[in-house]
């Protein structure tokens, strides 16, 4: 008899399995994107069989003496834990810096055994490209701001066939909190926020310049684009005040406009997590400068959204984001946008469709969306296109003011602590 009747191997947000199961086939080969750090394995098997799933690679965390299955910890050769919430096994793929120097190959072994029928073994061979080729087109530089005494590292991509007689759109990408204490290279290794645009450009599609400024710790551990982390620790009354790094990032944009042939009518801005907070603030502070804004799992100050009325906006968020909780961030933002009569596009990923590292990491899906990249490049200040509002939902209690209520402080603090445990290793 066949111990396994069906299996699926999916990555974030995709409903299509990378494996087409055939009971006669015991080995499968799959290819996952460069910024894929986990896949969800689901099985249907005969009840008399015991299932054991292992990987030949570590889960990518240090400190294995304190393994926590709830965080997806496992060492090569040990059993991978089952997740009731997702109804399957999350196969965690290494995300440490060193692993991006080479392509990653991992073998997932599934043993289905019983005392009566013995053991059948299935293998899934996973391949992940390192992304080194597109990263090689980014150059690292540094900009020193005299007023704040901040030296801001930044990465910049310029098309290989750059022609100074042409005008190029400029895409500015603001990273999240997880990258603040990491090398700037981590931003383009662990996300496709910047590389997706550069890859299109190198292929002759939507040629552009891509700027990745780096927020580093200058004053204290809560340094960020905005006062989000200070707010969570109850050190300030709002998560939306700009910090010096955000001002320096704007000054850097102006420098890049002087150094390169940039189309001033096509300045695009995007940010993830705390970078999403920062992107909202930067767009509000410069309401006539950006031709489009893409905010991923961030939030805007509802009291200031009027400033976005001239900026085409596409918002991405996961319904079960445990860190930037939608009820306290996304919903009040949307309610304020609706009240102000501002059009926007919204992609809200359903629960359980973004699963690793958590639903917070929906940027692993967002920037793979070619429609997003087509949409952003269709926007220009001298000829705005219809934003095509898809959805707007008000917060349940109609709360205005700060988008994160006091009651979520403890939840947010715990979630940020969990995220730091993940991102710091």
């Amino acid at each position: 008899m066949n111990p396994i009747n069906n299996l699926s191997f999916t990555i974030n947000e995709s409903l299509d399995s990378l494996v087409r199961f055939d009971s006669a086939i015991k080995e499968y080969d799959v290819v996952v994107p460069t910024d894929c750090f986990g896949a969800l394995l689901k099985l249907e098997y005969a009840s008399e069989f015991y299932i054991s799933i292992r990987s030949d690679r570590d889960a990518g965390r240090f400190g294995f003496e304190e393994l926590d299955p709830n965080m997806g910890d496992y060492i090569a050769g040990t059993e991978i834990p089952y997740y009731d919430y997702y109804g399957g096994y999350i196969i965690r793929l290494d995300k440490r810096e060193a692993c991006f120097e080479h392509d990653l190959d991992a073998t997932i072994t599934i043993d289905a055994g019983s005392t009566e029928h013995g053991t059948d073994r299935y293998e899934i061979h996973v391949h992940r490209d390192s992304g080194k080729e597109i990263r090689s087109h980014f150059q690292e530089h540094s900009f020193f701001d005299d007023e704040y005494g901040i030296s801001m590292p930044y990465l910049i991509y310029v098309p290989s066939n750059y022609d100074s007689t042409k005008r190029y759109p400029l895409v500015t990408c603001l990273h999240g909190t997880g990258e603040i204490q990491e090398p700037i290279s981590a931003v383009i290794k662990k996300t496709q926020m910047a590389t997706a645009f550069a890859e299109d450009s190198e292929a002759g599609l939507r040629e552009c310049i891509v700027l990745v400024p780096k927020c580093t710790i200058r004053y204290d551990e809560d340094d960020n684009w905005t006062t989000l982390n200070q707010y969570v620790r109850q050190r300030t009354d709002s998560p939306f005040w700009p910090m010096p790094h955000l001002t320096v990032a704007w000054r850097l944009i102006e420098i890049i406009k002087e150094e390169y042939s940039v189309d001033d009518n096509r300045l695009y801005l995007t940010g993830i997590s705390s970078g999403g907070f920062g992107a909202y603030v930067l767009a509000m502070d410069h309401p006539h400068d950006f031709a489009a804004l893409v905010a991923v799992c961030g939030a805007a100050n509802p009291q200031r959204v009027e400033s976005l009325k001239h900026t085409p906006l596409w918002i991405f968020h996961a319904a079960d984001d445990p860190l930037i909780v939608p009820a306290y961030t996304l919903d009040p933002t949307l309610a304020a946008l609706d009240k102000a009569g501002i059009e926007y596009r919204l992609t809200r990923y359903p629960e359980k469709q973004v699963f690793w590292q958590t639903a917070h990491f929906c940027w692993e899906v967002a920037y793979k969306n070619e429609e997003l990249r087509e949409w952003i490049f269709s926007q220009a200040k001298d000829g705005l296109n219809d934003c095509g509002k898809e959805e707007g939902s008000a917060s349940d209690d109609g709360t205005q003011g700060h988008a994160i209520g006091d009651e979520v402080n403890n939840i947010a603090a715990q979630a940020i602590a969990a995220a730091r445990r993940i991102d710091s290793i």
Side-chain angles (χ1 to χ4, degrees):
M1 66 178 298
N2 295 319
I4 294 180
N5 304 314
N6 194 15
L7 66 83
S8 64
F9 194 83
T10 58
I11 60 177
N12 276 341
E13 208 270 329
S14 175
L15 299 178
D16 298 323
S17 174
L18 300 180
V19 170
R20 181 171 293 180
F21 180 72
D22 183 330
S23 59
I25 298 176
K26 297 297 178 69
E27 291 193 42
Y28 300 88
D29 295 298
V30 299
V31 177
V32 299
T34 300
D35 62 348
C36 177
F37 305 121
L40 180 62
L41 174 62
K42 291 187 175 183
L43 301 172
E44 296 177 8
Y45 56 93
S47 59
E48 61 264 39
F49 284 86
Y50 172 78
I51 299 296
S52 175
I53 300 176
R54 293 174 168 83
S55 172
D56 67 345
R57 291 186 67 103
D58 293 346
R61 290 178 63 88
F62 299 118
F64 289 116
E65 67 280 0
E66 297 180 0
L67 290 177
D68 181 358
N70 291 324
M71 295 295 292
D73 289 342
Y74 55 82
I75 301 173
T78 61
E79 283 199 57
I80 296 172
Y82 179 84
Y83 285 76
D84 288 323
Y85 181 71
Y86 297 106
Y89 304 81
I90 292 180
I91 310 302
R92 180 170 179 157
L93 302 176
D94 201 335
K95 62 166 283 187
R96 289 173 288 186
E97 284 286 303
C99 76
F100 288 94
E101 294 305 312
H102 307 282
D103 293 353
L104 181 143
D105 290 287
T107 296
I108 312 306
T109 301
I110 307 167
D111 287 327
S114 75
T115 54
E116 181 179 353
H117 301 286
T119 300
D120 280 25
R121 172 163 290 183
Y122 303 79
E123 291 185 344
I124 302 175
H125 303 285
V126 182
H127 178 80
R128 186 182 71 190
D129 185 89
S130 67
K132 288 179 69 173
E133 181 177 353
I134 192 62
R135 294 201 310 272
S136 69
H137 293 279
F138 285 79
Q139 300 298 315
E140 182 176 347
H141 301 282
S142 183
F143 166 62
F144 183 77
D145 183 82
D146 290 323
E147 179 183 357
Y148 291 110
I150 290 176
S151 182
M152 176 169 283
Y154 67 92
L155 294 170
I156 188 164
Y157 158 80
V158 178
S160 297
N161 60 350
Y162 175 75
D163 180 352
S164 61
T165 65
K166 295 172 58 177
R167 309 291 281 181
Y168 293 86
L170 172 64
V171 183
T172 299
C173 307
L174 301 185
H175 62 76
T177 301
E179 288 72 48
I180 288 178
Q181 298 190 57
E182 293 189 322
I184 191 171
S185 59
V187 181
I188 59 173
K189 286 179 178 178
K190 298 182 179 181
T191 81
Q192 291 188 345
M193 174 174 56
T195 55
F197 296 108
E199 196 163 11
D200 283 348
S201 180
E202 285 300 297
L205 300 172
R206 301 176 287 274
E207 290 184 343
C208 63
I209 297 171
V210 184
L211 174 65
V212 185
K214 173 71 160 60
C215 178
T216 54
I217 292 179
R218 172 66 175 84
Y219 299 107
D220 64 31
E221 65 176 0
D222 287 333
D223 278 356
N224 212 321
W225 303 113
T226 74
T227 52
L228 172 62
N229 288 359
Q230 290 188 1
Y231 177 82
V232 169
R233 293 185 174 89
Q234 301 182 10
R235 295 174 57 193
T236 187
D237 63 352
S238 171
F240 301 119
W241 304 123
M243 295 193 77
H245 283 86
L246 194 63
T247 302
V248 175
W250 170 252
R251 293 171 180 171
L252 174 59
I253 291 173
E254 293 187 307
I255 294 294
I256 297 301
K257 288 166 57 180
E258 294 175 1
E259 294 183 350
Y260 297 92
S261 183
V262 172
D263 184 349
D264 202 44
N265 285 314
R266 301 179 71 194
L267 301 183
Y268 304 130
L269 178 62
T270 187
I272 61 175
S273 192
S274 62
F277 280 73
Y280 275 121
V281 174
L282 197 59
M284 291 172 177
D285 285 347
H286 303 277
H288 300 288
D289 289 283
F290 294 102
L293 167 63
V294 175
V296 182
C297 53
N301 186 344
Q303 296 174 333
R304 293 192 63 205
V305 296
E306 285 277 359
S307 300
L308 297 173
K309 62 184 178 182
H310 298 299
T311 307
L313 171 63
W314 194 336
I315 300 168
F316 291 80
H317 217 114
D320 49 349
D321 188 325
L323 180 54
I324 308 299
V325 181
Y328 299 100
T329 55
L330 175 65
D331 292 347
T333 298
L334 300 183
L337 290 169
D338 289 339
K339 183 177 180 180
I342 296 175
E343 292 191 342
Y344 55 89
R345 298 191 72 171
L346 170 67
T347 297
R348 190 200 304 256
Y349 298 109
E351 291 183 3
K352 303 182 183 181
Q353 285 198 16
V354 179
F355 54 82
W356 196 254
Q357 296 185 75
T358 72
H360 180 56
F361 286 65
C362 68
W363 55 80
E364 292 179 15
V365 183
Y367 296 101
K368 294 184 182 72
N369 184 344
E370 187 171 6
E371 183 183 355
L372 160 64
R373 305 196 301 275
E374 291 176 346
W375 173 86
I376 196 171
F377 279 87
S378 72
Q379 311 300 325
K381 286 194 302 181
D382 56 358
L384 293 177
N385 290 296
D386 183 4
C387 293
K389 177 177 176 180
E390 292 182 342
E391 177 187 354
S393 58
S395 60
D396 292 338
D397 59 4
T399 300
Q400 298 297 314
H402 299 315
I404 301 182
D406 292 338
E407 60 269 42
V408 81
N409 271 322
N410 291 336
I411 298 173
Q414 292 168 12
I416 285 179
R420 283 178 172 169
R421 288 198 298 273
I422 294 173
D423 288 327
S424 65
I425 58 179

